[in-house]
Amino acid sequence: MNALSSSLGQGAYTTLPPTLTEKLAKWLHWPVAVAAIAAALYLVFVVYTTGQAAWAVGLLVLFTAGFYVYLSRGGFAWRYLFPGVAGMLVFIAFPLVYTAQLGLTNYSSTHLLSESRVREYLLEQHDAVEGQVLAYTLHADGAEFRLVLQPEGGAAPRWVSPPLALRSVSRELRVDLTPADAERLPLTAPLQAALPLPELIKHRDTLARLVLVLPDKTELHYLGLREFGPIKPLWTPNADGSLTRVLDGAVFKPNRNTGFFQTAESDGHGETLQPGFKAFIGTANYTRMVFDAEFRGPFLAIFTWTVVFSALTVFFATHGSPTPISPRRCCSSSTCGWATRTS
């Protein structure tokens, strides 16, 4: 008996050789995990570089928790719960918190950007220096192109660029211009005729990246499909975060109560710049919702209907008529009697 048990025990447990799929899964486990971690970190970095630091931190926490749960033995018990918990946090908790946070600001169609982004937008505005704008034509020169600039009105060419590989320009490029009368090659040959407007449109994005530099170091920027010229900023930044308008010296300060850059007038109604920026206003929106008749009426009507509808739904679901039960004769070879069945 003991020998039989021993022989059965020895043959009851055997180890099968791993299949090819199991071997591949074992070999690729950590390389795939490392690649996934690298991709997650890259996504976090991209989000952070767009200026969304809070979103980047949230993604980093979520990815860290996920990798800990599925790559470590310590998080083994959470492997079945983590998808549900993460889903509730991302699709339920986060929208609730984010919506409540928006309710404490003046976020609207006119206050979409942050204060720093609005300041950057205003500082990027510029105007062309009248009287120094030059018309240009673009000429093919073999596989490259040349720009020829002349004053508006059909005057003789004044400046010529060196051959430019416009098809390979992917960032800002500074180009030194040469006086047309000092150019070794005549402008009629080997240069071809000026490209028509449809061809200029194809190179518009590349031309916008060019900064043409005159011998006196004056910089000419792209102004449109027909013009290059020097530009001057409309605003200058100040140390306190305000902006000064170059035209008249007016100072615009950020008003965090209204969410606009405004001038400080004695009557309290200064000039306002668009667009506005998102600012914290506390419970002003909720106060308006309760005490402003224009908002209070629709809000109370919708809120009351929602509560009544929910209460009636629960009431009828729990106090409806019970399902009738009827007796049924049950007979078998071993037992015979009455049973109940649900009709």
Side-chain angles (χ1 to χ4, degrees):
M1 182 67 180
N2 293 336
L4 180 60
S5 300
S6 177
S7 63
L8 289 175
Q10 293 177 357
Y13 300 97
T14 59
T15 302
L16 297 177
T19 63
L20 178 61
T21 303
E22 293 173 342
K23 291 181 179 179
L24 289 176
K26 184 177 180 180
W27 292 339
L28 296 178
H29 175 73
W30 285 111
V32 171
V34 172
I37 293 174
L41 291 177
Y42 177 75
L43 178 60
V44 172
F45 174 76
V46 170
V47 174
Y48 178 77
T49 56
T50 60
Q52 302 294 335
W55 288 79
V57 171
L59 285 177
L60 182 61
V61 171
L62 182 64
F63 286 139
T64 302
F67 288 125
Y68 170 77
V69 168
Y70 288 102
L71 295 180
S72 68
R73 293 183 179 275
F76 184 84
W78 286 90
R79 293 185 181 181
Y80 297 100
L81 298 177
F82 181 79
V85 173
M88 287 189 293
L89 291 176
V90 172
F91 297 107
I92 299 178
F94 173 74
L96 288 175
V97 174
Y98 184 72
T99 303
Q101 180 268 335
L102 286 182
L104 301 176
T105 67
N106 63 346
Y107 184 83
S108 64
S109 59
T110 57
H111 299 85
L112 294 173
L113 304 177
S114 64
E115 180 182 337
S116 60
R117 184 65 189 92
V118 171
R119 183 182 292 106
E120 293 175 1
Y121 168 77
L122 294 174
L123 291 175
E124 291 172 357
Q125 294 182 348
H126 59 267
D127 195 8
V129 179
E130 297 295 338
Q132 300 184 38
V133 176
L134 299 174
Y136 77 91
T137 54
L138 185 63
H139 303 259
D141 186 3
E144 299 177 324
F145 300 87
R146 286 197 179 198
L147 283 167
V148 177
L149 291 87
Q150 64 274 346
E152 296 181 337
R158 182 177 296 180
W159 308 101
V160 181
S161 74
L164 302 173
L166 296 182
R167 295 185 178 91
S168 61
V169 176
S170 58
R171 58 182 179 177
E172 182 178 285
L173 177 65
R174 298 177 65 86
V175 179
D176 294 324
L177 298 180
T178 304
D181 54 5
E183 175 60 39
R184 294 177 300 169
L185 299 176
L187 298 180
T188 57
L191 293 180
Q192 302 179 16
L195 298 181
L197 182 61
E199 293 296 325
L200 287 180
I201 294 176
K202 294 180 180 179
H203 298 286
R204 177 177 53 187
D205 294 338
T206 304
L207 293 173
R209 299 189 184 100
L210 301 181
V211 178
L212 309 181
V213 183
L214 299 179
D216 62 357
K217 303 304 180 182
T218 300
E219 295 182 353
L220 306 180
H221 296 262
Y222 179 80
L223 300 179
L225 291 173
R226 294 297 186 185
E227 295 175 333
F228 271 86
I231 58 177
K232 57 182 179 181
L234 298 181
W235 307 92
T236 56
N238 301 318
D240 60 353
S242 61
L243 301 175
T244 299
R245 187 160 54 193
V246 176
L247 180 62
D248 55 7
V251 178
F252 290 76
K253 296 183 178 181
N255 187 337
R256 296 179 178 87
N257 294 324
T258 61
F260 291 102
F261 279 86
Q262 294 179 319
T263 56
E265 300 292 346
S266 58
D267 57 358
H269 299 284
E271 184 179 352
T272 299
L273 296 181
Q274 295 287 349
F277 56 86
K278 187 171 61 175
F280 179 80
I281 60 174
T283 59
N285 288 327
Y286 298 99
T287 302
R288 184 183 181 189
M289 181 177 61
V290 175
F291 295 102
D292 191 335
E294 182 180 355
F295 289 88
R296 183 175 63 247
F299 169 73
L300 291 179
I302 296 174
F303 179 77
T304 303
W305 162 246
T306 303
V307 173
V308 171
F309 178 80
S310 302
L312 292 177
T313 301
V314 173
F315 176 80
F316 288 115
T318 57
H319 295 79
S321 57
T323 303
I325 299 178
S326 59
R328 176 174 60 88
R329 182 73 174 179
C330 176
C331 297
S332 64
S333 58
S334 59
T335 61
C336 181
W338 290 93
T340 61
R341 68 179 179 88
T342 302
S343 59

